[in-house]
Amino acid sequence: MYFVYKYLGWVNIGLLVLILAHFVLRRINRIGFSNKNKFLKKAAAFMSKIHTYLTIVLTATAFFHGFNLAGGIRFHSGYIAFIAILLQATAGALVKARKKKPFLAVHRLTGLLLAATVIIHVIIMKT
């Protein structure tokens, strides 16, 4: 089972990339195509629909990955990355519930924090 939980981390990174695709596709369309690329609009709309569900799956799989590899809840770089996932998910839920710009700004900033913690976790665990 160690092998499964170890590579579940890479599945989590794939999920995170898909979650970030929602934001990236919209930015590429806005900056590069002045919001006129129909394919990017459709792709971003689809990613927007599955964004929340992917986040729920990521939260669950990240917990299983970390809990089983660490043998419980232990403080290390993965724990910090998991806390960043929880912060990101909470900020996203606030954006959805309140629909106010300050929550969206917090959601985007926690996204940067999440990306940084995951990168640090991968680097630390590879050495």
Side-chain angles (χ1 to χ4, degrees), residues 6 8 13 29 40 49 60 77 79 81 88 90 99 101 115-116:
K6 179 180 177 189
L8 189 57
I13 289 176
N29 195 24
L40 288 176
K49 288 179 184 175
S77 61
Y79 181 80
Q88 179 72 353
T90 303
K99 296 183 180 9
K101 279 198 173 198

Side-chain angles (χ1 to χ4, degrees), residues 20 22-23 26-27 30 88 91-92 95 101-115:
L20 291 173
H22 164 65
F23 177 76
R26 284 187 18 243
R27 287 287 176 227
R30 192 179 90 190
Q88 179 72 353
V95 168
K101 279 198 173 198
F103 294 118
L104 183 60
V106 169
H107 184 57
R108 289 178 178 164
L109 285 173
T110 56
L112 292 173
L113 172 72
L114 173 57

Side-chain angles (χ1 to χ4, degrees), residues 76-96:
H76 58 84
S77 61
Y79 181 80
I80 296 168
F82 183 69
I83 295 298
I85 290 170
L86 292 177
L87 287 172
Q88 179 72 353
T90 303
L94 286 172
V95 168
K96 207 167 191 84

